[in-house]
């Protein structure tokens, strides 16, 4: 190893700054460079993890003591056809770059995460879902083909029909089978840059889940905000939002609404405060009484209302406040996916348990889902609940115990977890929700694609740690 190799040793973090691991950070710009790094890793007996924007809430793109490949410099659009809505790009392209290229031509990404800074490669590595999962499935269902570089140096072309088993395993495969080097995505036709949005309050968890289930078949998107500080009869109360595309002709000025500058989120709050400072103002409210106060006010002033909102504002609300996670200090997320039959009882138990331990989540988000055919899928015919927790020195152990208890409740209720979010999912939990057969299939594919076990991450060791 040379001196310049050691200069690459950096401390990397997860999105919520609650986990960190030192690694040799490389930023390749081509498949050839990636191949060279694989050779270097092999000769130095190091493992390699892949990283997009590093926005997973857990250790998915960390690799303590090994190499991390940050792929954000491979961000070129290789082909864009505004006639068919088909786009081919390198994996480091961000969702922001993606929609800003296609929306002026009347196309929106079929599935997006709650932030636009994620990369296409990272979104495929986890097979992200959006607020339309019940209708459009995960992003992988809209990928028509991809090219992947295997650790051996072999390049592989996959589509639902060609190398179909690898297609369904690499998408959502945690970057453990190979590196996506080009991705072709079918975009969704839209006739306006605006959505019709409806928002209304729901008084308890039963009405909350019932409202999502009823509204989903009627709308393009549905999502719920859940006030995790509300107790007793108000447990699980919150606000639901549905959103729908405008039909052709409904927008009097689509040329304007489809423009990037119409969508762009303003960089000042109330035209005065730079948004980059907002997290400092939020920080004092990030305590149990503060969140209770803000949530109660939000619920009490919440009204039944209908309005039009840009795609970017509806989908990327969290991007309104840059670095908002810093207001937490350190942040962890627990997201559980439960069948519609068991969700109410299991989440009632989890929300109550968290309150008894003075650990209410500071943000709760609910969505409606349907199953999909990807190998390591997290989806169910039911709902998901994402819970954001502030991590402090004094609550760390209590929180870890509570998340373990959550996992037990979710697994007993037939639920699943998402590898982009949870930090505590164990090998045993993964075996319980994925099943031995799926894990054996994944391991077989791993042996085929990566016989020398070059691709590893902290997440992989945690969940598939006994695989050697
Ligand atoms: C504010 C916020 C909101 C979010 N909302 C949602 C949401 O609504 N729905 C949802 O599903 N997720 C959501 N997420 C999670 C996020 O979308 C995923 O964690 C996503 O994978 C992050 O993309 P990334 O580019 O940062 O990838 P990283 O976190 O860097 O990597 C994710 C995985 O992809 C692998 N990977 C990266 N590049 C490649 C490549 N080229 N080839 C193969 N594998 C690769 C990595 O090894 C890793 O396993 C949210 C995250 C944040 C911070």
């Amino acid at each position: 190893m040379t001196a310049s190799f050691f200069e690459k040793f950096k401390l990397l973090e997860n999105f919520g700054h609650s986990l960190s691991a030192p690694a040799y950070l490389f930023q390749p710009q081509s498949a050839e460079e990636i191949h060279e790094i694989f050779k270097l890793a092999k000769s130095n007996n190091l493992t390699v993890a892949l990283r997009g924007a590093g926005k997973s809430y857990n250790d998915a793109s960390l690799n303590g003591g090994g190499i991390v490949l940050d792929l954000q410099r491979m961000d070129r659009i290789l082909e864009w056809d505004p006639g068919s809505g088909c786009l081919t790009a390198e994996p480091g392209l961000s969702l922001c770059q993606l929609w800003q290229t296609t929306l002026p031509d009347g196309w929106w990404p079929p599935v997006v995460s709650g932030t636009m800074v994620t990369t296409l490669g990272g979104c495929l590595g986890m097979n992200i879902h959006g607020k339309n999962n019940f209708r459009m499935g995960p992003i992988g269902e809209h990928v028509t083909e991809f090219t992947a570089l295997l650790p051996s140096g072999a390049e592989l072309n996959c589509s639902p029909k060609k190398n179909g088993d690898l297609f369904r395993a690499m998408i959502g495969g945690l970057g453990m089978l190979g590196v996506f080097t080009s991705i072709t995505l079918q975009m969704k036709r839209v006739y306006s840059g605006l959505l019709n949005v409806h928002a209304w309050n729901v008084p308890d968890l039963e009405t909350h889940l019932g409202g999502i289930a009823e509204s989903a078949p009627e709308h393009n998107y549905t999502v719920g905000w859940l006030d995790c500080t509300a107790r007793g009869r108000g447990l699980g109360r919150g606000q639901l939002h549905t959103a729908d595309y405008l039909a052709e002709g409904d927008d009097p000025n689509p040329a304007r609404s489809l423009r990037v500058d119409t969508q762009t989120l303003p960089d000042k709050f109330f035209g005065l405060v730079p948004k980059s400072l907002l997290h400092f103002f939020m920080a004092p409210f990030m305590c149990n009484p503060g969140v209770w106060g803000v949530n109660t006010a939000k619920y009490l002033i919440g009204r039944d209302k209908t309005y039009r909102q840009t795609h970017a504002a509806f989908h990327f609300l969290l991007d309104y406040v840059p670095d908002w996670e810093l207001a937490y200090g350190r942040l962890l997320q627990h997201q559980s996916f439960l069948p519609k039959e068991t969700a109410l009882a299991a989440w009632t138990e989890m929300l109550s348990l968290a309150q008894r331990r003075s650990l209410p989540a500071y943000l709760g988000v609910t969505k409606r889902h349907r199953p999909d055919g990807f190998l390591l899928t997290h989806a169910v015919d039911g709902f998901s609940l994402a819970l954001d927790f502030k991590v402090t020195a004094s609550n760390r152990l209590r929180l870890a115990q509570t998340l373990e208890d959550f996992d037990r409740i979710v697994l007993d209720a037939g639920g699943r977890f998402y590898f982009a979010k949870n930090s505590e999912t164990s090998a045993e939990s993964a075996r319980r929700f994925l099943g031995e057969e799926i894990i054996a299939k994944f391991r077989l594919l791993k042996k085929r694609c990566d016989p020398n076990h070059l691709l590893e991450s902290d997440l992989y060791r945690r969940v598939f740690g006994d695989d050697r």
Side-chain angles (χ1 to χ4, degrees):
M1 284 196 223
T2 61
S4 66
F5 192 97
F6 285 108
E7 279 166 19
K8 294 185 181 297
F9 208 55
K10 302 269 180 328
L11 190 67
L12 299 176
E13 290 188 333
N14 64 332
F15 165 68
H17 311 289
S18 50
L19 303 167
S20 60
Y24 300 97
L25 183 69
F26 286 78
Q27 296 175 301
Q29 287 180 289
S30 64
E32 293 71 36
E33 275 185 52
I34 300 175
H35 183 42
E36 288 307 312
I37 299 167
F38 277 136
K39 288 202 272 189
L40 184 79
K42 193 168 170 217
S43 60
N44 286 290
N45 212 10
L46 290 170
T47 59
V48 179
L50 310 178
R51 186 170 169 103
K55 296 299 168 191
S56 293
Y57 278 75
N58 59 9
D59 46 1
S61 56
L62 300 180
N63 186 20
I67 288 176
V68 169
L69 292 191
D70 172 348
L71 294 154
Q72 289 177 104
R73 290 195 181 164
M74 289 177 68
D75 66 348
R76 285 177 309 155
I77 292 176
L78 304 172
E79 219 176 311
W80 166 231
D81 178 357
S84 66
C86 226
L87 177 134
T88 302
E90 289 182 327
L93 190 81
S94 68
L95 291 192
C96 175
Q97 292 167 287
L98 174 66
W99 73 257
Q100 293 197 350
T101 303
T102 62
L103 190 65
D105 294 322
W107 299 91
W108 180 254
V111 173
V112 293
S113 49
T115 171
M116 60 172 120
V117 301
T118 50
T119 64
L120 259 188
C123 290
L124 250 64
M126 286 299 171
N127 205 10
I128 62 156
H129 59 263
K131 301 171 179 77
N132 53 358
N133 187 258
F134 54 93
R135 189 175 279 271
M136 299 291 275
I139 194 166
E141 289 191 11
H142 307 277
V143 173
T144 54
E145 61 177 315
F146 64 73
T147 307
L149 178 74
L150 303 188
S152 62
E155 279 211 281
L156 207 70
N157 211 273
C158 296
S159 72
K161 292 214 172 113
K162 189 173 171 197
N163 297 314
D165 56 342
L166 274 176
F167 182 85
R168 284 178 291 276
M170 278 194 176
I171 295 182
L174 323 176
M176 289 297 108
L177 300 178
V179 190
F180 301 119
T181 48
S182 89
I183 296 160
T184 303
L185 191 66
Q186 176 60 55
M187 305 293 284
K188 168 96 180 86
R189 187 70 158 136
V190 292
Y191 298 100
S192 166
L194 300 171
L195 293 164
N196 282 328
V197 181
H198 178 210
W200 72 101
N201 272 6
V202 281
D204 55 41
L205 190 57
E206 191 168 2
T207 324
H208 192 130
L209 298 180
I212 295 182
E214 273 166 37
S215 61
E218 310 290 322
H219 296 281
N220 294 120
Y221 298 97
T222 174
V223 63
W225 162 73
L226 194 147
D227 173 6
C228 302
T229 65
R231 292 165 177 266
R233 282 193 300 176
L235 189 95
R237 75 181 183 186
Q239 256 162 32
L240 302 190
H241 286 80
T242 59
D244 291 292
Y245 300 116
L246 273 65
E248 198 170 2
D250 278 0
D251 183 347
N253 195 351
R256 182 172 184 284
S257 68
L258 291 167
R259 274 195 343 235
V260 170
D261 61 346
T262 307
Q263 301 281 326
T264 307
L265 308 174
D267 60 5
K268 292 221 171 93
F269 202 61
F270 294 132
L272 286 173
V273 187
K275 286 193 315 178
S276 53
L277 296 180
L278 269 182
H279 66 87
F280 290 111
F281 294 99
M282 288 162 59
F285 294 95
M286 288 296 182
C287 55
N288 290 2
V291 173
W292 175 84
V294 171
N295 283 5
T296 304
K298 181 175 159 77
Y299 182 76
L300 292 178
I301 59 173
R303 294 275 171 272
D304 192 310
K305 56 184 178 199
T306 306
Y307 51 97
R308 283 191 174 170
Q309 194 172 28
T310 62
H311 292 274
F314 178 76
H315 288 290
F316 308 126
L317 185 70
L318 291 167
D319 291 340
Y320 260 107
V321 185
D323 302 324
W324 59 268
E325 79 284 359
L326 292 174
Y328 280 75
R330 295 191 166 88
L331 165 71
L332 276 184
Q333 187 175 102
H334 185 275
Q335 189 172 21
S336 49
F337 291 72
L338 281 166
K340 54 187 186 311
E341 297 78 15
T342 59
L344 177 61
W347 285 333
T348 300
E349 191 180 348
M350 282 163 54
L351 293 169
S352 310
L353 179 69
Q355 289 181 355
R356 281 202 303 280
R357 294 187 182 165
S358 290
L359 280 172
Y362 289 175
L363 179 66
V365 175
T366 50
K367 290 183 193 141
R368 178 82 171 101
H369 297 269
R370 66 145 164 86
D372 60 63
F374 292 91
L375 192 66
L376 299 186
T377 179
H378 54 273
V380 294
D381 180 7
F383 307 96
S384 68
L385 171 62
L387 299 171
D388 283 8
F389 292 96
K390 176 173 172 158
V391 187
T392 64
S394 63
N395 79 5
R396 193 177 269 273
L397 284 178
R398 216 163 10 114
L399 183 58
Q401 179 58 56
T402 303
L403 298 186
E404 259 183 50
D405 291 336
F406 281 6
D407 283 7
R408 181 184 39 77
I409 297 167
V410 169
L411 291 169
D412 288 349
R416 306 176 83 90
F417 302 111
Y418 181 22
F419 291 119
K421 302 289 186 77
N422 300 29
S423 303
E424 79 300 325
T425 311
S426 63
E428 180 49 32
S429 298
R431 242 194 304 276
R432 272 190 70 188
F433 78 83
L434 288 172
E436 297 286 356
E437 197 185 325
I438 297 293
I439 292 187
K441 250 189 201 166
F442 188 66
R443 288 192 163 151
L444 213 63
L445 289 171
K446 172 102 177 134
K447 264 202 190 106
R448 207 167 105 197
C449 297
D450 182 19
N452 296 310
H453 246 288
L454 280 184
L455 286 168
E456 272 194 14
S457 62
D458 287 357
L459 165 70
Y460 184 77
R461 283 185 284 272
R462 170 161 62 85
V463 176
F464 298 93
D466 44 352
D467 176 24
R468 269 225 168 241

